[in-house]
């Protein structure tokens, strides 16, 4: 079993998403996605930047995989661009687009790196958006069709699959809060219809993956707010757990339970009926079977935890005057990884995969030509120790995918935020491996022994 707490085949990796790194936004027959479409308009993204070129990974993937190999990564989580593979979202397949992913997977396999594929990381084909997007029930079959195409092409070599990246963001931020593409604020009734389509699209896609890929290992990559107990007293832990798994009316689409309870437990969160009454989606028995198609792991993207403060308390252990912050202005809360693994494992009963975690810093290339990022090293050290605490207690954690392999297009924040292990100079596309990446290489080589 565990060596240093970490299992011997622990997947030390890094992650990315198609729209954030690929560029080549109109090349080789790719269609437009909603982030492409809004990226051409003014007023949505800082300085009107866009992902048209991004890290030019579409052309430089060989160089990028070589860097991953040099770092000794065991796994690489990336997403397939739906509009690159199916420009209209359904129907015609763009063979050149599909070829790119076949080549990428071959390159990874040859480098000894386990590919982990996310089918949907937010760049919905604009053609489908124009037909109603997530609100159109036909999206369930369109997504299944797209999944069929991708899994038939990659299934022989890819074992790890995730259907969606963060419904909390592409529905919560995109269609409830209106701060991410397509920047809309839908009514509660519409959000219920949309949610129903998301659950069913997920479940049908799982069935397609199982059909096409032998030995598949399937999950989803949601996110959510984990509340860190204020101390280790049983009642404090219980309180944090209750807060973590609660849901509020105004932002229910950002909660953990709204998306995970139906999928993993076959029921809506307990508050749902009281908050939404008859509007809560209804499923037939057959539909429930689709929604609850068994998964192999609980993937989780997590960057910071919440403090459990009394109303009168102004500051807590993580946020106080001058406390550590990332360049996203996020609090540094290492223990959130321990509590994520523990709370999510206890509730959903599946092994955990940290599918994203990382830090944006104000990095630049120093006079010596290197990128020194001591804060990221310290961040990683603290957060990885927190996973070590979880695995040492016997909580099954399959892997850790650092976000991100390289600096990239950070959605509405454009190119300002640098999360990468590898620095990208967007003027020249020159890659520079940061100090933290070399540090991570040593962690991987010792399977966490040096943490
Ligand atoms: C996740 C996303 O939300 O976190 C990534 O899956 C993203 O695509 C990252 O880049 C960091 O930032 P943000 O602003 O999207 O939370």
């Amino acid at each position: 079993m565990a060596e240093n707490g970490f299992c011997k085949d622990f997947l030390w990796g890094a992650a990315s998403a198609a729209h954030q790194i690929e560029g080549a936004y109109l090349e080789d027959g790719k269609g437009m996605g909603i982030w492409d479409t809004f990226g051409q308009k003014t007023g949505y993204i800082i300085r009107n930047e866009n992902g048209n070129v991004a890290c030019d990974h579409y052309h430089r993937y060989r160089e990028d995989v070589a860097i991953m190999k040099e770092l000794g990564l065991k796994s690489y989580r990336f997403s397939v661009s739906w509009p690159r593979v199916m420009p209209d979202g359904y129907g015609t397949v763009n063979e050149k687009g599909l070829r790119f992913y076949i080549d990428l997977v071959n390159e990874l396999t040859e480098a000894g790196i386990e590919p982990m594929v996310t089918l949907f990381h937010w760049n919905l084909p604009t053609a489908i958006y124009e037909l109603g997007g997530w609100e159109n029930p036909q999206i369930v079959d369109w997504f299944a069709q797209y999944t069929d195409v991708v899994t038939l092409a990659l299934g022989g070599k890819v074992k790890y699959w995730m259907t969606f990246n963060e419904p909390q963001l592409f529905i919560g931020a995109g269609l409830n809060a209106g701060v991410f593409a397509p920047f809309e604020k839908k009514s509660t009734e519409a959000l219920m219809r949309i949610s129903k389509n998301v659950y069913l699209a997920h479940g049908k896609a799982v069935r397609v993956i199982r059909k096409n890929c032998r030995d598949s290992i399937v999950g989803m990559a949601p996110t959510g707010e984990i509340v860190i107990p204020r101390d280790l007293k049983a009642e404090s832990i219980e309180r944090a757990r209750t807060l973590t798994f609660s849901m509020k009316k105004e932002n229910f689409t950002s909660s953990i339970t709204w998306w995970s309870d139906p999928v993993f437990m076959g029921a809506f969160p307990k508050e749902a009926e009281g908050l939404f009454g008859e509007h809560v989606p209804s499923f037939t028995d057959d539909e429930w079977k689709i929604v609850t198609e068994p998964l192999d792991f609980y993937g989780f993207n997590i960057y910071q935890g919440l403090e459990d403060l009394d109303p009168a308390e102004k500051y807590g252990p993580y946020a106080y005057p001058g406390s550590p912050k990332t360049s996203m202005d996020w609090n540094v809360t290492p223990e959130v990884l321990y509590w994520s693994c523990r709370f999510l494992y206890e509730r959903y009963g599946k092994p955990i995969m940290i599918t994203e975690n990382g830090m944006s810093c104000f990095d630049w290339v120093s006079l010596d030509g290197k990128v020194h990022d001591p804060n990221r090293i310290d961040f990683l050290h603290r957060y990885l120790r927190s996973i070590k605490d979880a695995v040492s207690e016997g909580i099954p954690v399959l892997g850790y995918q650092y976000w991100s392999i390289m600096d990239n297009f950070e959605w509405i924040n454009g190119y300002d935020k640098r999360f990468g292990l590898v620095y990208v100079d967007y003027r020249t596309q020159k890659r520079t491996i940061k100090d933290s990446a070399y540090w991570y290489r040593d962690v991987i080589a010792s399977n966490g022994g040096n943490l």
Side-chain angles (χ1 to χ4, degrees):
M1 109 105 200
E3 165 198 332
N4 308 317
F6 293 98
C7 56
K8 67 176 185 344
D9 45 7
F10 190 84
L11 290 167
W12 300 98
S16 73
H19 185 69
Q20 294 179 272
I21 64 168
E22 285 177 3
Y25 85 119
L26 282 182
E27 233 172 290
D28 291 341
K30 175 179 167 297
M32 294 289 273
I34 54 174
W35 279 94
D36 298 303
T37 300
F38 281 93
Q40 314 315 309
K41 300 182 180 186
T42 52
Y44 291 98
I45 294 164
I46 196 166
R47 287 184 301 277
N48 302 316
E49 290 171 355
N50 56 47
N52 293 4
V53 178
C55 311
D56 197 30
H57 173 74
Y58 187 73
H59 298 113
R60 294 166 198 263
Y61 70 93
R62 286 199 176 85
E63 177 189 351
D64 293 331
V65 173
I67 293 174
M68 296 176 207
K69 186 176 179 186
E70 185 182 340
L71 298 177
L73 295 194
K74 305 280 186 210
S75 53
Y76 172 52
R77 171 181 177 233
F78 63 95
S79 75
V80 171
S81 162
W82 188 351
R84 192 181 293 289
V85 170
M86 299 183 100
D88 303 321
Y90 60 92
T92 314
V93 175
N94 175 29
E95 295 298 338
K96 282 189 177 165
L98 197 54
R99 185 78 239 166
F100 167 71
Y101 297 105
I102 296 170
D103 292 344
L104 172 61
V105 165
N106 286 340
E107 199 75 10
L108 288 165
T109 315
E110 274 161 37
I113 300 168
E114 186 78 57
M116 298 176 53
V117 175
T118 313
L119 287 160
F120 182 74
H121 199 129
W122 306 354
N123 201 18
L124 182 74
T126 302
I128 286 191
Y129 166 66
E130 285 166 354
L131 294 173
W134 288 105
E135 209 170 341
N136 184 337
Q138 286 175 282
I139 198 167
V140 175
D141 288 329
W142 293 333
F143 188 66
Q145 202 186 107
Y146 156 70
T147 302
D148 195 48
V149 169
V150 175
T151 49
L152 283 173
L154 306 182
K157 290 196 171 158
V158 175
K159 271 202 312 203
Y160 288 85
W161 295 90
M162 281 144 284
T163 53
F164 296 139
N165 185 72
E166 303 183 353
Q168 286 84 357
L169 273 287
F170 71 84
I171 303 298
L175 296 171
N176 193 357
V179 295
F180 268 18
F183 303 95
E184 288 177 16
K185 292 184 181 187
K186 297 277 187 183
S187 67
T188 304
E189 291 73 20
L191 287 167
M192 293 294 161
R193 289 194 293 276
I194 287 167
S195 298
K196 179 165 183 171
N197 296 336
V198 171
Y199 300 123
L200 289 170
H202 159 80
K204 275 208 170 175
V206 176
R207 284 191 177 173
V208 174
I209 299 168
R210 299 290 190 202
K211 170 174 71 74
N212 292 342
C213 314
R214 254 196 308 139
D215 304 329
S216 55
I217 301 176
V218 187
M220 206 202 250
T223 185
E225 294 185 329
I226 299 283
V227 177
I228 301 174
R230 48 189 302 136
D231 54 46
L232 294 179
K233 287 190 202 118
E235 63 267 26
S236 308
I237 295 174
E238 223 21 69
R239 201 179 122 88
R241 187 200 312 273
T242 305
L243 289 168
T244 295
F245 296 116
S246 66
M247 190 178 87
K248 294 202 188 72
K249 188 166 189 179
E250 62 282 8
N251 61 355
F252 70 100
T253 47
S254 305
S255 70
I256 292 176
T257 52
W258 181 253
W259 301 107
S260 295
D261 282 13
V263 168
F264 289 91
M265 299 166 84
F268 282 95
K270 59 177 183 339
E271 308 95 318
E273 211 187 319
L275 293 177
F276 305 114
E278 53 173 14
H279 296 301
V280 177
S282 61
F283 291 121
T284 62
D285 288 352
D286 281 349
E287 285 175 330
W288 267 119
K289 281 191 193 132
I290 295 172
V291 174
T292 55
E293 273 297 323
L295 296 177
D296 301 301
F297 64 92
Y298 191 99
F300 197 53
N301 296 353
I302 182 74
Y303 292 85
Q304 60 171 337
L306 290 187
E307 298 186 304
D308 176 16
L309 299 183
D310 286 335
E313 282 176 307
K314 196 165 163 197
Y315 301 121
Y318 298 106
Y320 50 85
S323 58
K325 295 246 189 313
T326 75
S327 78
M328 295 288 284
D329 217 23
W330 293 347
N331 294 321
V332 177
T333 63
E335 288 71 25
V336 73
L337 280 187
Y338 168 81
W339 291 106
S340 299
C341 295
R342 179 165 160 185
F343 283 164
L344 293 167
Y345 177 62
E346 285 173 352
R347 185 173 182 92
Y348 297 118
K350 296 286 173 187
I352 306 296
M353 172 88 76
I354 299 300
T355 36
E356 279 181 31
N357 168 252
M359 175 186 192
S360 67
C361 298
F362 294 108
D363 301 313
W364 68 80
V365 181
S366 294
L367 283 172
D368 62 4
K370 298 181 174 163
V371 178
H372 303 296
D373 55 343
N375 288 343
R376 184 175 286 105
I377 293 176
D378 189 64
F379 175 101
L380 255 174
H381 200 162
R382 290 171 190 264
Y383 274 69
L384 291 177
R385 277 187 179 186
S386 183
I387 298 191
K388 190 175 176 173
D389 289 341
V391 293
S392 307
E393 283 184 12
I395 298 170
V397 184
L398 304 178
Y400 172 85
Q401 313 309 315
Y402 178 82
W403 182 270
S404 167
I405 181 61
M406 65 187 107
D407 297 335
N408 60 45
F409 173 72
E410 182 45 48
W411 310 111
I412 52 170
N413 289 304
Y415 293 95
D416 276 0
K417 309 296 179 189
R418 293 183 176 275
F419 277 91
L421 292 170
V422 177
Y423 181 92
V424 179
D425 183 333
Y426 299 108
R427 300 165 304 178
T428 59
Q429 292 297 343
K430 184 175 182 323
R431 276 64 165 145
T432 305
I433 300 178
K434 300 180 191 177
D435 287 358
S436 58
Y438 290 118
W439 182 87
Y440 188 42
R441 179 187 63 186
D442 295 343
V443 173
I444 299 171
S446 68
N447 196 31
N450 62 350
L451 288 171

